[in-house]
């Protein structure tokens, strides 16, 4: 497939963002719960515990308070941009899980549409305290976080943030615990599902069988977790009388080949204001003639 001007422009944007993010300067280290000014944001490291016991897991997250009009990116950034990255330095025996990405928003940027976050964001990850620590000691870890923050222009930035918690016989939750609960409620949960996604000449069509979990929705939002499959514009999904959720959306200009599996984040807004998000992965099929 030959590159269109729009596709070439997106590729150049991604390459420029990647080079800039590698070269970003580091902000000074901060203490847990403190917010440090960075380029067009304030950031800090927060946790759902003030004290931990050996062997337990806890939630630790990067809080980003964006300046008005500025945003950072989801795991799939959309037409341009780069997802935030975490690099942990941990004591022996400690473990860190991946970023648990809350449901995003669409962020128009001229002719492009990106996926990400504005206003105040909490990006959580799960840490496991080493079994070898003892009450009276400290659990210390360091996070190097790197992100791209954009408005009309994009600026790479990073901060190195310190975590220092007391180790006790009994854990003690922090005042941040409700913020983590609210954020984790917006993280798509993996949902076993049957169905399929297929590509014709211009569009990708999706059918998710037995989607009763969307039946009473006031509004359904769909984002592609798999990048460069569909256009980043809003997707209109409808529940059919047979209980299947379907949508058909223009293929991405960067589309090259249908992946074997295609993943989607689906947000369900209930009439009473409650929100649930699900992650669904389906087999992919390319109905176009294969190139020789």
């Amino acid at each position: 497939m030959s590159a269109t001007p729009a596709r070439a422009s997106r590729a150049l944007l991604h390459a420029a963002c990647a080079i800039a993010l590698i070269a970003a300067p580091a902000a000074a280290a901060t203490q847990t719960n403190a917010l440090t000014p960075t380029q067009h944001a304030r950031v800090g490291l927060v946790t759902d515990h003030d004290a931990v016991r050996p062997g337990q897991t806890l939630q630790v997250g990067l809080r980003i308070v964006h300046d008005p009009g500025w945003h950072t990116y989801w795991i799939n950034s959309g037409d341009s941009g780069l997802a935030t990255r975490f690099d942990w330095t941990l004591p022996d025996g400690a473990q860190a899980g991946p970023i648990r990405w809350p449901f995003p928003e669409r962020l128009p940027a001229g002719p492009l549409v990106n996926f990400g976050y504005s206003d105040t964001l909490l990006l959580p990850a799960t840490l496991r305290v080493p079994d070898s620590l003892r009450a009276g000691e400290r659990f210390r870890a360091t996070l190097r976080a790197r992100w791209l923050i954009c408005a009309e222009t994009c600026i790479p930035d990073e901060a190195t943030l310190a975590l220092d918690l007391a180790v006790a016989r009994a854990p003690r939750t922090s005042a941040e615990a409700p913020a983590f609960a609210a954020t984790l409620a917006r993280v798509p949960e993996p949902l076993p599902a049957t169905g399929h996604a297929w590509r014709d000449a211009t569009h990708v069509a999706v059918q998710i069988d037995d989607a009763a979990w969307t039946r009473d929705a006031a509004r359904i939002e769909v984002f592609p977790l798999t990048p460069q499959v569909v256009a980043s514009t809003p997707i209109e999904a409808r529940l059919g009388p047979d209980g299947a959720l379907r949508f058909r959306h223009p293929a991405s200009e960067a589309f090259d080949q249908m992946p074997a599996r295609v993943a989607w984040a689906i947000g369900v807004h209930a009439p009473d204001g409650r929100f649930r998000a699900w992650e669904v992965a389906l087999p992919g099929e390319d109905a176009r003639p294969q190139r020789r």
Side-chain angles (χ1 to χ4, degrees), residues 47-54 56-58 129 135-139 163-175:
T47 175
D48 65 349
H49 279 75
D50 286 331
V52 294
R53 61 173 176 78
Q56 82 162 81
T57 59
L58 69 155
V129 180
E137 296 182 329
R138 310 291 296 184
F139 173 52
L163 176 70
D164 187 347
L165 297 177
V167 179
R169 288 186 172 85
R172 184 173 67 249
T173 57
S174 75

Side-chain angles (χ1 to χ4, degrees), residues 193-198 205-209 245 247 258 264 282-285:
T194 59
H196 60 288
W198 65 99
V206 174
Q207 176 176 312
I208 302 170
D209 303 330
L245 185 70
F247 55 91
M258 194 70 169
W264 310 89
L282 301 171
E285 175 186 353

Side-chain angles (χ1 to χ4, degrees), residues 253-271:
E253 291 182 355
F255 189 103
D256 187 48
Q257 184 176 359
M258 194 70 169
R261 301 283 288 178
V262 185
W264 310 89
I266 301 175
V268 178
H269 298 261

Side-chain angles (χ1 to χ4, degrees), residues 175-191:
E176 296 286 355
F180 278 93
T183 295
L184 293 172
R186 295 188 61 81
V187 174
E189 300 177 29
L191 179 70

Side-chain angles (χ1 to χ4, degrees), residues 7-239:
R7 181 178 177 184
S9 175
R10 287 174 175 81
L12 288 171
L13 277 170
H14 280 289
C17 291
I19 293 169
L21 194 53
I22 292 170
T30 67
Q31 295 296 318
T32 303
N33 296 330
L35 289 179
T36 296
T38 59
Q39 299 185 83
H40 300 289
R42 291 175 293 134
V43 304
L45 194 63
V46 295
T47 175
D48 65 349
H49 279 75
D50 286 331
V52 294
R53 61 173 176 78
Q56 82 162 81
T57 59
L58 69 155
Q59 296 299 315
V60 181
L62 177 69
R63 173 166 288 148
I64 304 178
V65 182
H66 302 83
D67 286 354
W70 291 80
H71 62 267
T72 53
Y73 293 94
W74 189 45
I75 185 171
N76 174 13
S77 61
D79 287 338
S80 66
L82 288 171
T84 298
R85 293 173 58 182
F86 283 4
D87 295 299
W88 293 95
T89 301
L90 302 170
D92 290 343
Q95 298 174 350
I99 295 173
R100 303 182 69 185
W101 297 92
F103 204 77
E105 58 185 301
R106 282 182 170 83
L107 301 161
L112 308 180
V113 179
N114 299 324
F115 305 149
Y117 310 99
S118 57
D119 300 326
T120 297
L121 167 68
L122 179 59
L123 284 182
T126 302
L127 297 191
R128 186 179 186 278
V129 180
D131 294 318
S132 58
L133 288 180
R134 297 291 180 262
E137 296 182 329
R138 310 291 296 184
F139 173 52
R140 296 185 175 94
T142 301
L143 171 65
R144 182 189 180 197
R146 288 179 282 175
W147 61 90
L148 191 69
I149 189 163
C150 299
E152 293 181 359
T153 60
C154 290
I155 302 172
D157 209 351
E158 69 172 70
T160 299
L161 307 166
L163 176 70
D164 187 347
L165 297 177
V167 179
R169 288 186 172 85
R172 184 173 67 249
T173 57
S174 75
E176 296 286 355
F180 278 93
T183 295
L184 293 172
R186 295 188 61 81
V187 174
E189 300 177 29
L191 179 70
T194 59
H196 60 288
W198 65 99
R199 160 75 190 264
D200 60 25
T202 59
H203 287 67
V204 173
V206 174
Q207 176 176 312
I208 302 170
D209 303 330
D210 191 18
W213 38 278
T214 66
R215 180 170 296 126
D216 298 324
R219 183 162 61 96
I220 299 172
E221 292 184 273
V222 180
F223 284 79
L225 272 161
T226 305
Q228 298 184 348
V229 171
V230 294
S232 299
T233 50
I235 295 171
E236 185 176 346
R238 295 183 181 276
L239 185 67

